[in-house]
Amino acid sequence: MSLLARLRPGLLLLVLLGCRAESVTPVVVKFWAMGREGEVVQQLVPEFERLTPGLRVRVQQIPWSAAHEKLLTAYVGNAMPDLFQVGNTWIPEFVALGAIEPLDERMAHSSIVRSDDYFPGILDTNVIDGVTYGVPWYVDTRLLFYRTDILAQAGYPQPPTTWAAWLDAMTRIKQQVGPANYAILLPFTEWQVPVILALQRGATLLRDNDQYGDFRSPEFRSSFEFYLDLLRRDLAPRGGQAQIANLYQDFTSGYFSMYISGPWNIGEFRARLPASLQDRWLTAPMPAPDGGYPGTSVAGGSSLAIFRGSQHKDLAWKMIEYLSEPPLQLQFYRLTGDLPARKSAWADGDLAHNRYAHAFWQQLQGVQSTPKIPEWERIADKISQYTEAAIRGDMDVDAALTALDSDVDGLLEKRRWMLRQAKNVGPAVPAAVRAEQSEGSAGTAGATH
Amino acid sequence: MKRVGPAVVLHLVLAVAAGVTLLPLLWMLSASLMPAGEATAFGHRLFPSTVTFEHYRALFTRLNLARDAANSALLAAAVTLISLVLNSMAGYAFAKFRFAGRDRIFRILLAALVIPGQVAMLPLFLMLRELGCINTYWGVIIPGMASIFGIFLIRQYALSIPDSLLDAARIDGAGEFRIYWSLVLPVCKPILVTLAIFTFMGTWNDFLWPLIVLTDSDMYTLPVALANLVGEHVQDTELMMAGSVLTVLPVVIVFMALQRYYIEGIMSGGVKE
Amino acid sequence: MTRPRINPAYGFLAPALAVIAVFFFVPVVASVLLSITDFDIYAVASLANLRFVGYGNYAHLLRDPLFWVALKNTAYFVFVAGPLSIAVSLTAAVLLSAKLVRFKAAFRTIFFLPVITTLVAVAVVWRYLYHLRFGLLNYGLSLVGIGPIDWLGDPAWAMPAIILLTVWKNFGFNMVIFIAGLQSIPDRLYEAASLDGASTLRQFWHVTLPMLAPTFAFVAIITLIGYFQLFAEPYVMTQGGPGQSTLSVALLMYQEGFRWWNMGYAAAVAFVLFAIILALTLVSLRLRAGAPVGTAEPQRGLAR
């Protein structure tokens, strides 16, 4: 009896913490951000809260490695945030789920978010079937980070502009640094580099309206062979990322002299490399297969998106506008090293004179998006899986590409079925919203909650 | 003289084995106290050059691990308390009551122990979503409220309660729940303590289900938060080690304090099958 | 007139059985149903996108090279780590049960400690211990002249690395069960054997092992069931890599289900896993039922 009485307050507490939480005032907007950006954006929030009284923004930081999973889990579990950062290659997926709010109208009426001030290649990744779903927050593309001193010693005072020159430079570097070191680090568990090389060669990756894999095309094959060649010639460590304890220590020691990476490493390199190395590294756009320097690269980056079922869409939009102002874009850049999505922000002194960012400016003029379909993440994962298999010698190139095509065809089977059924594969309108539109009444199960 | 030799060898072997067993945990502790960067520097340090608590400070301030520890503690306590009550009631019923299909149901439950938990996970997730329990404490508590293993342990123990004791109480006019609460539970205290330790530690260490169900970082338990940290801070060895120490410390303390019950529990379950 | 009495047992059973029925058995059954559909992320958006595929997922599973890789890896793990772990546990138990040993409780505690530690935490620690260039393990090996092994980066060594971690973490548990089994062997059997002139080794072979057979069988079965569900170690340490060499069936199920949201397919994988575990368990039970048990053996072996 007394035990039960003692337990009762505890049980009561548990019930109160229970499932359907009540809403509290002031209004809280939940914002999910990833990686370093997630850590930093928390510093920008107090000012925003000061400008918009009665509003609190709760930032949750999620590591990139788990972000995709977590967003999908949250969607399926009806626990989505109001505002979230989203990798722009994921946007088609969320559009297909009906999880993301179209933004064209808001953008049209906004004085702050102006579509002509964004890099076209980047903005394009946010547009599915003519509808814009995200506002670019910062841009990302991949290009060459390299050791100027080691490259100069190898006979290249200027970075290589063609694949042939690039290969030659790496071979010379390898000769210089010896068998225990390498010319370039290729993290082959990531899909970006093989895809970049393929896009440069003009490969389409998928064919027939993105219904089938096209990995046995001559364009993809030739870029794939080029990539594998780098490892065959021992220009890159076969252990890939696992062989690196500390990227920055190894770059400093000359374990590798080149690395294809993104803008976040500008800040990291400046912070983590020793002072003695700071004037011995630089960035350069990707070499092109033949002429036409720079070679194209992937249009990456993150956008800000609003959850379609959010109760605070207008407030979330205000946060987006706040973060999209050029001064804020610059401040964000200063804090993270992430490059602004707004072109006008680049004119500022800080960024305009940043010699590392200059290569990115060049590269961003020519970036391409990957196929804009929901299955892209899986396909990218398969690409890295078979790239790894080919590198390890588990499969030869033919077998790997055939298997890749076969797997990708399998992955796309549902898409083909849905297209055949003439269902709305693109911006899937949740049942609730459709019902609203047709009957003016609340719908059944759907994304809204 | 002849007898000393084997004894010495035996103890030596055991000591080496103990050392090897403890080495990873000791290194974990040692590295957590090293200044940043030292654990992976060349020279393979075993001991910190200077002892620093900066990583622990970082965990509690910047990374807010105290909240995750509180979540772990709350969930472990809740599941333990609730499941103790439910399991003991059912175990007592299987041991001391007669009802239709009693043995058959019990055998089915035992057989169900073979089913891997992952089979149930996906539909359970969808089910809890409909109940609105995703990203809530209840999402973690509900599946743990009763366990077949717990019922089994209690039933085995309760079998040894003399029927005469219970009958005497009934003749005196005591209600069934009263008998359970005031008579059976106190007698079962040893197995209850064992089960409580099992459940507490099991819930504390549980990783996969909280990882899936808890989407808000405010709700993370320590293992989930730690896995999250690995995603972001794999470069920061010493910080990760400090996180590991913090995660492991509570269960180690509970274990050291109550190990007698815990180990007896395993032994009784194992030998009697 | 007496009111028919409801068996009070039902009141005691109801809460626990209700929880188990609703939150375990129902999902298991639902899992079977899920496995005959192609429930995926499109279906989450709208149930109209759901199709019934009958045995389609199972057929796809049998054709999927990734499933066979996962099965092979899991079998490799179970049939290497299993016996290894049991052998280590038994050895430790025997050593600790020797009459000559002092500080038994201390040793037992130390050997048991890895069992209760949080798996995620120790997996993180071992990740660093296994590092190619900075890990303590390679450092130790270098002291005896063995070259650095890329534990987590080399497909040939990644699963052994996980096996080593698992054995270290779990041997204490089975050790305790073996200790209990050893303690239950009556001393007079050993006395009789030594009177007959049997050496320690022969005593072990003819007294200890046969008497331990039931315990052995129990340990083998629970180890089998547990090891087939290998998930957390590869999830934290290798994510199934390198080159899919540590992809286990349970990890594959997790990836398909919770990363890609192919829930129909994942349910099929989970169900196949269950079927395999069930089959092996039944086989083990049958084997054990057929094995000779009891006191007949030792006397037969030692009678002169």
Side-chain angles (χ1 to χ4, degrees):
Chain A
M1 191 53 214
S2 57
L3 181 62
L4 200 56
R6 267 184 268 136
L7 281 178
R8 211 176 285 142
L11 290 175
L12 205 57
L13 183 65
L14 288 176
V15 170
L16 283 176
L17 292 167
C19 307
R20 302 190 187 265
E22 309 269 316
S23 61
V24 285
T25 54
V27 180
V28 176
V29 169
K30 296 206 298 188
F31 179 13
W32 282 13
M34 284 111 204
R36 176 112 181 90
E37 293 79 39
E39 281 178 35
V40 164
V41 82
Q42 309 200 38
Q43 299 175 33
L44 301 176
V45 160
E47 180 63 18
F48 176 68
E49 286 178 342
R50 195 182 65 81
L51 293 170
T52 7
L55 176 64
R56 286 211 47 227
V57 176
R58 237 200 11 197
V59 176
Q60 178 163 311
Q61 191 251 358
I62 304 178
W64 273 108
S65 52
H68 185 245
E69 270 169 64
K70 281 223 165 306
L71 277 174
L72 286 180
T73 308
Y75 173 72
V76 177
N78 285 340
M80 281 289 268
D82 302 291
L83 174 64
F84 57 100
Q85 175 185 355
V86 61
N88 58 6
T89 50
W90 302 345
I91 289 182
E93 203 170 358
F94 287 93
V95 167
L97 286 176
I100 202 171
E101 174 85 355
L103 297 174
D104 285 302
E105 254 209 59
R106 292 181 194 270
M107 284 175 75
H109 289 124
S110 169
S111 54
I112 299 176
V113 180
R114 291 184 15 234
S115 33
D116 56 353
D117 197 25
Y118 290 96
F119 294 96
I122 301 287
L123 189 57
D124 176 60
T125 60
N126 292 277
V127 177
I128 316 288
D129 286 343
V131 180
T132 314
Y133 288 96
V135 175
W137 189 14
Y138 63 86
V139 294
D140 178 358
T141 185
R142 303 293 164 97
L143 44 68
L144 222 49
F145 284 67
Y146 67 101
R147 289 283 299 270
T148 50
D149 51 348
I150 296 182
L151 196 59
Q153 268 185 311
Y156 280 83
Q158 295 299 320
T161 56
T162 63
W163 281 19
W166 189 22
L167 195 55
D168 180 58
M170 286 193 279
T171 315
R172 285 174 196 264
I173 291 178
K174 175 74 182 183
Q175 278 164 1
Q176 273 195 296
V177 296
N181 296 309
Y182 299 91
I184 185 170
L185 174 65
L186 295 174
F188 45 74
T189 50
E190 293 169 19
W191 55 268
Q192 279 83 353
V193 176
V195 168
I196 290 174
L197 297 175
L199 289 175
Q200 288 185 351
R201 270 267 181 239
T204 53
L205 305 175
L206 301 176
R207 59 183 169 89
D208 287 348
N209 188 20
D210 295 337
Q211 289 189 77
Y212 293 94
D214 198 21
F215 296 100
R216 279 171 292 180
S217 67
E219 296 88 1
F220 190 83
R221 176 184 288 266
S222 73
S223 68
F224 196 61
E225 288 272 14
F226 178 77
Y227 185 74
L228 288 178
D229 218 26
L230 298 176
L231 286 133
R232 286 194 201 112
R233 295 172 190 233
D234 235 8
L235 298 171
R238 278 169 180 274
Q241 198 79 3
Q243 227 165 302
I244 304 297
N246 192 313
L247 183 72
Y248 310 100
Q249 282 175 5
D250 288 330
F251 188 68
T252 308
S253 70
Y255 189 65
F256 61 91
S257 318
M258 287 189 181
Y259 186 46
I260 299 178
S261 183
W264 71 88
N265 261 326
I266 299 180
E268 294 285 326
F269 273 35
R270 279 208 297 227
R272 293 184 189 246
L273 296 182
S276 57
L277 207 72
Q278 289 301 334
D279 57 351
R280 291 191 276 158
W281 70 275
L282 211 52
T283 54
M286 293 295 296
D290 308 304
Y293 182 71
T296 192
S297 187
V298 282
S302 290
S303 304
L304 294 167
I306 301 179
F307 174 49
R308 198 157 192 163
S310 163
Q311 309 290 325
H312 310 297
K313 291 184 209 172
D314 292 328
L315 296 167
W317 177 249
K318 280 205 183 337
M319 182 83 194
I320 295 182
E321 286 189 314
Y322 176 68
L323 291 173
S324 302
E325 291 172 25
L328 254 297
Q329 291 258 300
L330 263 172
Q331 192 183 352
F332 193 68
Y333 154 72
R334 287 194 196 100
L335 289 171
T336 59
D338 287 337
L339 301 173
R342 299 285 299 257
K343 288 194 285 191
S344 50
W346 287 70
D348 181 90
D350 254 12
L351 196 46
H353 295 132
N354 182 330
R355 51 200 180 130
Y356 307 113
H358 183 65
F360 283 95
W361 175 262
Q362 272 186 287
Q363 185 73 73
L364 284 164
Q365 308 301 325
V367 287
Q368 266 185 274
S369 69
T370 47
K372 294 193 248 181
I373 52 171
E375 291 84 357
W376 172 250
E377 272 305 301
R378 274 213 91 168
I379 295 176
D381 191 61
K382 286 284 175 193
I383 294 177
S384 64
Q385 187 189 316
Y386 283 104
T387 307
E388 197 180 353
I391 288 174
R392 296 196 184 278
D394 297 336
M395 308 176 103
D396 65 14
V397 173
D398 277 316
L401 294 180
T402 308
L404 179 55
D405 258 344
S406 160
D407 276 5
V408 170
D409 286 348
L411 287 176
L412 291 169
E413 193 271 326
K414 186 80 182 256
R415 174 180 166 81
R416 292 196 294 273
W417 177 76
M418 291 183 72
L419 285 177
R420 273 199 306 271
Q421 303 285 315
K423 281 201 167 56
N424 199 358
V425 173
V429 182
V433 181
R434 251 184 275 142
E436 259 174 49
Q437 289 170 349
S438 59
E439 303 158 28
S441 62
T444 50
T448 52
H449 176 57
Chain B
M1 275 304 285
K2 198 162 66 126
R3 302 279 298 192
V4 170
V8 165
V9 167
L10 196 53
H11 283 95
L12 207 60
V13 168
L14 282 174
V16 168
V20 168
T21 306
L22 283 180
L23 189 61
L25 299 173
L26 291 176
W27 186 78
M28 171 180 77
L29 186 61
S30 169
S32 74
L33 297 169
M34 288 182 193
E38 206 173 80
T40 49
F42 283 112
H44 293 104
R45 308 203 64 94
L46 279 177
F47 296 104
S49 58
T50 60
V51 171
T52 167
F53 289 98
E54 63 183 275
H55 308 294
Y56 291 97
R57 267 202 301 274
L59 286 176
F60 280 110
T61 55
R62 198 159 47 93
L63 297 164
N64 224 332
L65 229 62
R67 183 196 53 211
D68 304 317
N71 287 335
S72 278
L74 174 64
L75 286 173
V79 170
T80 303
L81 284 175
I82 297 179
S83 71
L84 269 185
V85 173
L86 265 58
N87 287 338
S88 60
M89 279 167 53
Y92 166 54
F94 275 115
K96 288 289 154 192
F97 284 96
R98 301 168 134 247
F99 51 92
R102 180 187 67 176
D103 290 331
R104 197 148 47 102
I105 295 179
F106 191 67
R107 272 202 297 273
I108 292 177
L109 285 182
L110 280 190
L113 281 174
V114 174
I115 304 177
Q118 287 101 352
V119 175
M121 241 170 223
L122 290 159
L124 185 59
F125 183 81
L126 294 175
M127 189 190 288
L128 289 178
R129 172 182 79 143
E130 295 307 314
L131 293 175
C133 287
I134 300 299
N135 199 35
T136 65
Y137 289 123
W138 283 115
V140 178
I141 294 175
I142 286 178
M145 288 199 302
S147 85
I148 299 177
F149 181 67
I151 296 178
F152 165 73
L153 267 192
I154 299 209
R155 184 245 189 200
Q156 296 300 91
Y157 194 90
L159 281 174
S160 63
I161 300 178
D163 286 329
S164 50
L165 198 64
L166 303 171
D167 289 334
R170 286 189 188 111
I171 291 172
D172 279 346
E176 288 299 337
F177 192 80
R178 184 94 198 284
I179 295 178
Y180 157 76
W181 194 262
S182 315
L183 208 55
V184 177
L185 279 188
V187 169
C188 286
K189 208 173 84 148
I191 198 69
L192 286 179
V193 173
T194 305
L195 187 56
I197 302 169
F198 265 110
T199 314
F200 185 86
M201 285 174 26
T203 312
W204 182 279
N205 288 340
D206 196 12
F207 171 60
L208 180 54
W209 185 248
L211 177 73
I212 295 170
V213 166
L214 302 172
T215 50
D216 242 338
S217 61
D218 280 352
M219 319 265 308
Y220 285 172
T221 56
L222 271 181
V224 176
L226 194 62
N228 220 39
L229 273 185
V230 173
E232 271 306 296
H233 293 275
V234 70
Q235 318 269 23
D236 303 321
T237 313
E238 301 75 18
L239 185 70
M240 296 307 310
M241 291 302 102
S244 291
V245 169
L246 280 180
T247 308
V248 162
L249 204 55
V251 281
V252 168
I253 292 176
V254 167
F255 171 68
M256 300 291 264
L258 298 167
Q259 56 177 297
R260 186 163 64 93
Y261 294 102
Y262 189 86
I263 295 191
E264 270 172 27
I266 300 176
M267 286 160 70
S268 70
V271 178
K272 294 214 197 94
E273 314 158 44
Chain C
M1 192 169 80
T2 50
R3 234 177 38 181
R5 202 166 158 258
I6 307 174
N7 194 333
Y10 296 137
F12 286 102
L13 286 173
L17 289 192
V19 167
I20 293 176
V22 171
F23 296 109
F24 183 65
F25 282 114
V26 167
V28 169
V29 171
S31 202
V32 179
L33 290 176
L34 253 190
S35 73
I36 59 171
T37 70
D38 74 343
F39 198 100
D40 61 5
I41 198 94
Y42 289 117
V44 173
S46 157
L47 277 179
N49 294 331
L50 188 65
R51 289 180 293 175
F52 279 99
V53 292
Y55 61 83
N57 283 327
Y58 293 96
H60 181 225
L61 200 151
L62 292 175
R63 277 192 325 254
D64 187 357
L66 216 50
F67 172 73
W68 291 105
V69 166
L71 192 57
K72 187 182 67 127
N73 291 338
T74 311
Y76 174 21
F77 176 77
V78 170
F79 293 115
V80 172
L84 187 59
S85 162
I86 293 178
V88 171
S89 315
L90 184 56
T91 310
V94 167
L95 285 179
L96 271 193
S97 301
K99 293 194 189 347
L100 296 174
V101 174
R102 306 233 302 260
F103 315 115
K104 273 199 176 79
F107 279 120
R108 192 189 60 191
T109 304
I110 292 177
F111 290 142
F112 199 81
L113 211 50
V115 176
I116 57 119
T117 52
T118 315
L119 181 60
V120 178
V122 298
V124 166
V125 177
W126 279 80
R127 219 173 115 153
Y128 290 107
L129 289 178
Y130 275 139
H131 192 271
L132 172 68
R133 289 186 286 149
F134 305 122
L136 269 187
L137 190 56
N138 277 348
Y139 176 61
L141 288 176
S142 70
L143 291 177
V144 290
I146 303 181
I149 299 179
D150 193 1
W151 292 101
L152 297 179
D154 186 343
W157 286 105
M159 193 52 105
I162 294 199
I163 291 175
L164 182 59
L165 167 61
T166 309
V167 170
W168 172 83
K169 187 158 195 323
N170 288 333
F171 82 94
F173 191 86
N174 288 337
M175 175 192 80
V176 161
I177 299 182
F178 275 129
I179 290 179
L182 286 170
Q183 279 174 0
S184 74
I185 301 177
D187 270 343
R188 57 180 172 80
L189 286 177
Y190 288 112
E191 285 165 16
S194 76
L195 278 178
D196 277 347
S199 67
T200 328
L201 199 58
R202 288 203 71 166
Q203 286 180 35
F204 180 76
W205 196 253
H206 290 282
V207 178
T208 314
L209 280 187
M211 288 304 288
L212 219 42
T215 316
F216 205 92
F218 176 71
V219 164
I221 291 180
I222 62 170
T223 305
L224 187 88
I225 295 178
Y227 280 8
F228 253 104
Q229 299 175 42
L230 175 70
F231 166 76
E233 292 89 338
Y235 179 84
V236 176
M237 291 180 78
T238 57
Q239 282 287 315
Q244 314 299 328
S245 60
T246 57
L247 180 70
S248 68
V249 179
L251 184 59
L252 176 67
M253 187 225 82
Y254 174 82
Q255 286 179 350
E256 289 289 337
F258 287 103
R259 190 191 283 176
W260 308 121
W261 295 94
N262 278 354
M263 297 181 75
Y265 185 63
V269 173
F271 197 72
V272 169
L273 178 65
F274 163 54
I276 294 175
I277 294 179
L278 184 63
L280 284 171
T281 307
L282 289 176
V283 166
S284 314
L285 285 174
R286 199 133 302 180
L287 278 178
R288 199 201 118 207
V293 164
T295 56
E297 271 280 344
Q299 288 167 356
R300 244 185 25 229
L302 295 168
R304 291 258 192 266

